[in-house]
Amino acid sequence: MSDIRDYDVVVVGGGPAGSTTAALLAKNGRNVMLLEREKFPRYHIGESMITGVIPAMEELGLTDELDKRFQPKYGISLVWGLDSEPWRASFDQTGRYDHSWHVVRSEFDELLLNTARGFGVHVEEQAHVTAVLSDENGTVTGVTYRRGGETYHVTSRFVVDASGQARAISRKLTEVSWQEDLRNVAIWNYFTPYVPLSDGRQGGDILVESVKTGGWIWGIPVAGDKLSLGHVLPATLVAEAAAQGLSHQGLFDRAVENSEVAKTMIANGAPVDKLRTARDWSHVCMSFHGPGWLSVGDAAGFIDPLFSQGVWLGTSGAWMAARALEAALKNPADTERALDRYELVYRVLYDEFLSFIRFFYDPNKLREIYLERAQQDVWHPDGNLKVGFITLISGIKALPNITGFDPLGTDLPKTVRM
Ligand SMILES: Cc1cc2nc3c(=O)[nH]c(=O)nc-3n(C[C@H](O)[C@H](O)[C@H](O)COP(=O)(O)OP(=O)(O)OC[C@H]3O[C@@H](n4cnc5c(N)ncnc54)[C@H](O)[C@@H]3O)c2cc1C
């Protein structure tokens, strides 16, 4: 069956990046279709938000609902570096928002998708995009998708690839560059009950703990009495362990056993889900856009989740993508300029985080060295070192580039270490 319809924009993928892009365009009166392969709610990893996501959530009118439904996150508690003492940094030190959320992604993503629907986006679930339509010049003009055993075609002025690590569209249109030094694997499960880091606000922190056997552990109080506990380690270590007969479960147990704090949090807890694993290999596409298409979120680039920045990158990209596409739809002559600008600013966000994560990934430094580097990155040479650190890793430092994004602007984005 062939069913041709025409939209301003077709968005492929209904994760945070896709739903936010679609919702913001529709809010502006654009005719938008979103195609999602799964039926929501569906499981997804990526549960801890940084406060940099808040402007996008405010724009969608969701902050009260997020406060009602999800656990508050006040900061980050670390066991990292040569000093063995745990340390923490809290969001309120940024002088902006004092908390974000730890979310159950199936519920969070469904909320965003329904919000997009509410703004008038035509959403189709269980719609698997299989091919790109293009004209004789190679300009993307739409997509083909399968739904309920039928094949459909849909045309649009622009196609947005927000299909996450599947890169359903961009894998056909651009090359990808893999960050070989961040070629990791993640292994995780959920534990009930657990012991919070403290009775106060610190109890709402994410725990990030390096382990001497290699890699690090996250502890995310994701809901009520449930802790998400994950271990990230280099793929080479996983391969070596496999050669010695050590399973993913064995690796996970070894990391917890070698931790100082994580093991105390689940001392009386039991796993309540199956052990899950994912490839966690940072990458970035060579192009974020081309004639008739643009990519956003993990489909454009993914960075190891050390600082929980993935949803922030995706929704920030969505914010800028919606504005760039709006400029292009309004005046087609501005298309290249607007999409180039989108790519330039989005790459700055990506590169800045990647650069700091690379620096931080080596756990053999003193705490002050990490903090001083962050302080330099936010251009505050004086003052409390932790303020620089939390301002950088909460995404607050980059906010002016995002909320002030002008697709036709000419100023260089405020950045460091380019
Ligand atoms: C181990 C791990 C831990 C993480 N922890 C965090 C964290 O704590 N905090 C954080 O912010 N981020 C975290 N992340 C990153 C976060 O999960 C992602 O950055 C985020 O989900 C990206 O959102 P997205 O919308 O780009 O893609 P996704 O959320 O992956 O959404 C893409 C959607 O596209 C759909 N799709 C795919 N192919 C097709 C197709 N062909 N047709 C139609 N639909 C399609 C998929 O079904 C999916 O729903 C983590 C990642 C990993 C691997």
Side-chain angles (χ1 to χ4, degrees):
M1 181 178 166
S2 178
D3 172 21
I4 299 269
R5 283 157 291 163
D6 196 42
Y7 289 88
D8 290 324
V9 179
V10 167
V11 176
V12 181
S19 290
T20 304
T21 307
L24 294 178
L25 282 162
K27 191 179 173 196
N28 225 17
R30 292 296 170 185
N31 187 18
V32 184
M33 181 186 219
L34 186 151
L35 298 166
E36 165 55 49
R37 187 175 57 186
E38 307 287 336
K39 173 83 185 126
F40 279 24
R42 56 94 178 88
Y43 180 83
H44 206 294
I45 190 59
E47 297 150 333
S48 191
M49 307 288 119
I50 53 177
T51 45
V53 301
I54 294 176
M57 297 303 112
E58 284 173 342
E59 191 77 4
L60 298 176
L62 286 177
T63 48
D64 288 346
E65 190 64 20
L66 293 169
D67 274 339
K68 254 187 255 157
R69 287 171 60 162
F70 299 116
Q71 301 295 310
K73 171 182 175 182
Y74 292 108
I76 179 168
S77 287
L78 292 127
V79 186
W80 199 275
L82 291 178
D83 335 58
S84 53
E85 278 298 296
W87 48 291
R88 83 178 284 258
S90 59
F91 289 136
D92 59 6
Q93 291 172 296
T94 64
R96 291 291 292 268
Y97 313 101
D98 76 340
H99 74 279
S100 62
W101 308 273
H102 301 295
V103 304
V104 177
R105 276 291 298 272
S106 54
E107 292 177 27
F108 177 76
D109 288 16
E110 187 179 38
L111 177 65
L112 286 184
L113 190 66
N114 285 337
T115 301
R117 275 195 180 97
F119 282 117
V121 175
H122 175 191
V123 175
E124 288 196 18
E125 295 176 66
Q126 295 175 305
H128 187 170
V129 173
T130 53
V132 183
L133 303 174
S134 48
D135 67 14
E136 62 283 1
N137 302 316
T139 299
V140 171
T141 55
V143 297
T144 300
Y145 66 98
R146 300 266 307 156
R147 185 166 187 253
E150 305 279 356
T151 299
Y152 300 86
H153 307 292
V154 59
T155 58
S156 56
R157 296 266 301 278
F158 292 98
V159 171
V160 171
D161 186 358
S163 63
Q165 301 213 21
R167 293 183 290 114
I169 302 297
S170 50
R171 72 168 56 240
K172 301 176 199 299
L173 301 167
T174 183
E175 298 293 314
V176 68
S177 161
W178 299 96
Q179 318 291 2
E180 293 295 339
D181 56 329
L182 291 171
R183 188 174 175 171
N184 293 330
V185 171
I187 309 169
W188 69 96
N189 206 333
Y190 298 86
F191 290 81
T192 299
Y194 74 95
V195 181
L197 288 167
S198 88
D199 291 337
R201 285 191 156 206
Q202 191 183 3
D205 284 3
I206 183 173
L207 168 72
V208 172
E209 174 166 12
S210 63
V211 273
K212 36 186 181 288
T213 46
W216 57 278
I217 290 179
W218 79 69
I220 299 174
V222 75
D225 62 351
K226 196 154 92 169
L227 186 76
S228 164
L229 197 75
H231 178 36
V232 174
L233 73 169
T236 47
L237 287 186
V238 178
E240 280 167 24
Q244 293 161 12
L246 196 58
S247 64
H248 285 157
Q249 183 69 59
L251 277 168
F252 182 85
D253 294 343
R254 185 177 76 178
V256 172
E257 187 52 38
N258 279 281
S259 69
E260 287 174 32
V261 176
K263 72 175 170 203
T264 65
M265 294 181 82
I266 58 162
N268 300 318
V272 290
D273 203 335
K274 62 180 183 195
L275 192 78
R276 296 175 189 265
T277 61
R279 188 176 72 161
D280 164 13
W281 188 1
S282 304
H283 66 262
V284 67
C285 287
M286 303 304 263
S287 298
F288 290 0
H289 74 88
W293 69 275
L294 166 158
S295 61
V296 66
D298 282 7
F302 167 77
I303 311 175
D304 185 89
L306 183 63
F307 291 128
S308 311
Q309 71 287 335
V311 171
W312 167 74
L313 260 182
T315 52
S316 300
W319 177 296
M320 297 188 291
R323 276 155 184 75
L325 290 170
E326 185 55 42
L329 288 163
K330 204 177 279 170
N331 182 7
D334 286 333
T335 300
E336 202 166 328
R337 184 171 162 197
L339 299 194
D340 277 351
R341 178 102 191 139
Y342 162 74
E343 175 156 351
L344 172 76
V345 181
Y346 198 13
R347 255 183 216 287
V348 167
L349 302 191
Y350 180 94
D351 289 343
E352 212 166 74
F353 244 91
L354 178 65
S355 161
F356 189 63
I357 282 179
R358 280 208 164 111
F359 183 82
F360 202 87
Y361 231 88
D362 171 7
N364 297 311
K365 295 184 173 94
L366 289 168
R367 181 191 323 174
E368 270 59 38
I369 304 294
Y370 303 115
L371 296 179
E372 275 166 15
R373 161 67 196 261
Q375 194 77 333
Q376 287 162 18
D377 279 8
V378 295
W379 290 342
H380 284 307
D382 307 315
N384 183 339
L385 286 180
K386 280 192 190 160
V387 174
F389 175 71
I390 194 71
T391 303
L392 183 69
I393 67 158
S394 61
I396 295 298
K397 186 247 162 178
L399 272 190
N401 282 337
I402 303 158
T403 54
F405 177 72
D406 174 2
L408 304 179
T410 50
D411 294 348
L412 277 179
K414 189 171 182 300
T415 184
V416 288
R417 296 178 194 280
M418 292 297 289

